[in-house]
Amino acid sequence: MDALFAIAGKDFVISVSDTASARSIVRMKKNCDKTYKLSSHTLLAVCGEPGDTANFAEYIQGNVRLYSVRNSQDLSPSETANFIRNELAGSMRSRKPYNVNMLVAGVDQNTGAASLYRIDYLAAMAKVPFAAHGYCAYFVYSVMDHEYTEGLTLEQGFDIVKNCLTALKERFIVDFPDFSIKVISTNGTREYDLAEI
Amino acid sequence: MARRYDSRTTIFSPEGRLYQVEYAMEAISHAGTVIGILSKDGIVLAAERQATSNLLEQSIGSEKIYEMNDNVVAGVAGLTADANILINQSRVIAQRYLQRFDSPIPVEHLVRRLCDLKQGYTQFGGLRPFGVSFLCAGWDPTFGFQLYQSDPAGNYSSWKAACIGENYSNAQSILKQEYKDDDSSDAGSNSSNVGSAGTRMTMDDALKLTCVVLSKTIDTAKLTSEKLEFATITLKDDKPYIHIYSSEEIDEVLKKYDSVMKPSED
């Protein structure tokens, strides 16, 4: 039931995730952050089986950090995404695979280009301009399809986010308590308030 | 007396030395010379083939210069048989990295992995260390062109111009004299000093200097393609491009720089 989507511009990515932690029909927590900072310029957003998501994301976080320490150099977003896909593909062929869907957002520090990767629980990966996971995808994809233009500005990106959230409020029976909106750009990661955008 | 500490690589002598490792390095200083020179837009590698006979069939591939990955080429000094094992390993390491991250392995990463392997044999298990030194020339997007030297103990270091094998100290002093370093003030504009950031050499200069050094260090009346191997790594369409010279191309290079190559005075 998680809502997770992201929009990539030329040098930024906006990542939006809901902050509810739920079990069956009960909401356990209202302020749960479903994103993980992998490096100063890479963010991993997860949804899926609650235990799996945290466990797998922390495993990835640890390994990406280990790489940076060993090589005194961060993995680029594309390298990070490929590494995650590779790990998930390995897990998928084990006896107990992780059930995790992910969005990897980042800015390459060599080229300054932003990129967004969508990885699902079957370890299928695609580099995309915008992406969504879970039930919320049924609602926000049409909005993003309609409004996305290549090379959009941050403000235009926020407008799409607002329309996506409106669509979710209007049509989705699940009521989300709050959303965490993060922007990854060349300056690093910044969190925005709903009222700010 | 010395034999007490010679037979195993894992034992220190009373002076705190590892003789087998030192002997391995000694063996390398008798092997065919390998020279690497870094320039602004590429790296030149050259190697000397020793003990050629007119009865010996020319091998099809190169004997001393090997491609390790799309972005790394290495020159070998020492036991070719030992080198083959290490080359094979590094090719596997590079491909594993590519499979995992979908990007070419950073040059230093590959060199370090290779040296870890070499170091292991000075401490554990085997009968002797690998009797091989490498000159690895490579390119990666972060640090550009880089040239690394490694020894049997597992040390590695980055150079603007380096030489291993026979007469390496002579060659190194010529390189030190002739190499055009970038000492201009704008060197500071590039924050990274690794790789090709601080050099004024062009590929042409590097090829020329290689020929000069070769002619002065190799003990022969005239250099020929039979005794030499050449390779370059440059950028082509923003991608690393490794070129291992054919014997015709080597002759062409030697002919072009014939005038600068004087037989050594001593």
Side-chain angles (χ1 to χ4, degrees), chain B residues 84-103:
Chain B
N84 283 334
I85 302 288
L86 292 170
I87 300 259
N88 198 20
Q89 279 296 329
S90 45
R91 284 174 177 167
V92 172
I93 290 167
Q95 286 308 117
R96 279 213 191 105
Y97 188 98
L98 184 66
Q99 193 242 359
R100 213 166 183 217
F101 298 107
D102 190 31
S103 87

Side-chain angles (χ1 to χ4, degrees), chain B residues 132-209:
Chain B
V132 193
S133 272
F134 284 105
L135 275 187
C136 292
W139 181 90
D140 60 55
T142 321
F143 295 115
F145 291 107
Q146 296 149 78
L147 177 66
Y148 290 93
Q149 187 202 104
S150 72
D151 72 12
N155 295 311
Y156 69 89
S157 40
S158 174
W159 297 80
K160 289 199 172 81
C163 178
I164 51 177
E166 199 165 35
N167 264 330
Y168 73 96
S169 52
N170 273 345
Q172 212 114 50
S173 61
I174 302 171
L175 287 172
K176 206 171 163 184
Q177 273 169 24
E178 305 285 327
Y179 193 83
K180 282 186 276 181
D181 215 349
D182 194 359
D183 42 11
S184 59
S185 54
D186 68 335
S189 63
N190 198 326
S191 57
S192 148
N193 224 351
V194 187
S196 45
T199 175
R200 278 194 295 147
M201 300 282 285
T202 62
M203 272 309 262
D204 222 36
D205 293 337
L207 265 174
K208 191 166 142 190
L209 183 53

Side-chain angles (χ1 to χ4, degrees), chain B residues 36-261:
Chain B
I37 298 178
L38 189 83
S39 81
K40 272 186 297 192
D41 32 28
I43 302 172
V44 177
L45 273 185
E48 176 204 1
R49 264 187 217 164
Q50 275 181 331
T52 48
S53 152
N54 50 359
L55 294 178
L56 192 68
E57 288 274 19
Q58 285 279 320
S59 67
I60 299 162
S62 64
E63 281 171 39
K64 308 214 56 175
I65 291 179
Y66 296 88
E67 213 174 309
M68 281 184 171
N69 197 25
D70 287 346
N71 63 332
V72 185
V73 61
V76 171
L79 303 177
T80 312
D82 286 16
N84 283 334
I85 302 288
L86 292 170
I87 300 259
N88 198 20
Q89 279 296 329
S90 45
R91 284 174 177 167
V92 172
I93 290 167
Q95 286 308 117
R96 279 213 191 105
Y97 188 98
L98 184 66
Q99 193 242 359
R100 213 166 183 217
F101 298 107
D102 190 31
S103 87
I105 190 166
V107 186
E108 189 181 345
H109 196 125
L110 180 61
V111 173
R112 193 177 61 231
R113 291 287 301 275
L114 192 63
C115 285
D116 285 349
L117 191 70
K118 289 212 251 186
Q119 190 283 142
Y121 280 79
T122 69
Q123 192 169 187
F124 308 106
L127 292 171
R128 58 174 176 82
F130 284 101
V132 193
S133 272
F134 284 105
L135 275 187
C136 292
W139 181 90
D140 60 55
T142 321
F143 295 115
F145 291 107
Q146 296 149 78
L147 177 66
Y148 290 93
Q149 187 202 104
S150 72
D151 72 12
N155 295 311
Y156 69 89
S157 40
S158 174
W159 297 80
K160 289 199 172 81
C163 178
I164 51 177
E166 199 165 35
N167 264 330
Y168 73 96
S169 52
N170 273 345
Q172 212 114 50
S173 61
I174 302 171
L175 287 172
K176 206 171 163 184
Q177 273 169 24
E178 305 285 327
Y179 193 83
K180 282 186 276 181
D181 215 349
D182 194 359
D183 42 11
S184 59
S185 54
D186 68 335
S189 63
N190 198 326
S191 57
S192 148
N193 224 351
V194 187
S196 45
T199 175
R200 278 194 295 147
M201 300 282 285
T202 62
M203 272 309 262
D204 222 36
D205 293 337
L207 265 174
K208 191 166 142 190
L209 183 53
T210 309
C211 291
V212 171
V213 176
L214 283 174
S215 69
K216 287 185 180 163
T217 49
I218 295 177
D219 190 24
T220 178
K222 188 161 169 48
L223 290 176
T224 59
S225 58
E226 269 162 40
K227 290 201 78 178
L228 289 176
E229 285 179 26
F230 267 79
T232 55
I233 175 165
T234 47
L235 278 185
K236 205 176 192 179
D237 306 323
D238 291 329
K239 289 201 164 57
Y241 171 71
I242 292 168
H243 179 58
I244 295 177
Y245 285 48
S246 66
S247 53
E248 290 79 28
E249 287 170 311
I250 295 172
D251 281 328
E252 226 168 89
V253 172
L254 293 175
K255 211 171 123 195
K256 186 173 169 193
Y257 298 111
D258 194 40
S259 56
V260 293
M261 296 192 292

Side-chain angles (χ1 to χ4, degrees), chain A residues 147-160:
Chain A
E147 297 181 12
Y148 185 87
T149 48
E150 214 176 301
L152 44 63
T153 64
L154 188 60
E155 284 67 38
Q156 288 172 312
F158 281 148
D159 285 340
I160 300 179

Side-chain angles (χ1 to χ4, degrees), chain A residues 47-137:
Chain A
C47 72
E49 196 68 37
D52 284 6
T53 51
N55 196 243
F56 187 73
E58 278 167 21
Y59 169 76
I60 293 297
Q61 201 176 27
N63 274 95
V64 170
R65 179 92 189 96
L66 177 64
Y67 182 98
S68 312
V69 172
R70 271 196 181 150
N71 302 291
S72 18
Q73 184 185 334
D74 286 340
L75 282 171
S76 71
S78 85
E79 287 170 326
T80 310
N82 273 284
F83 169 67
I84 295 170
R85 196 209 74 84
N86 204 253
E87 289 297 319
L88 193 61
S91 149
M92 230 204 72
R93 288 158 182 83
S94 74
R95 221 160 53 84
K96 182 70 185 76
Y98 283 109
N99 189 342
V100 193
N101 301 302
M102 283 163 288
L103 295 178
V104 183
V107 174
D108 191 315
Q109 281 179 289
N110 279 332
T111 62
S115 52
L116 172 66
Y117 293 84
R118 182 188 188 275
I119 308 172
D120 69 13
Y121 74 105
L122 293 169
M125 185 175 80
K127 184 176 190 292
V128 285
F130 50 82
H133 273 305
Y135 283 119
C136 96

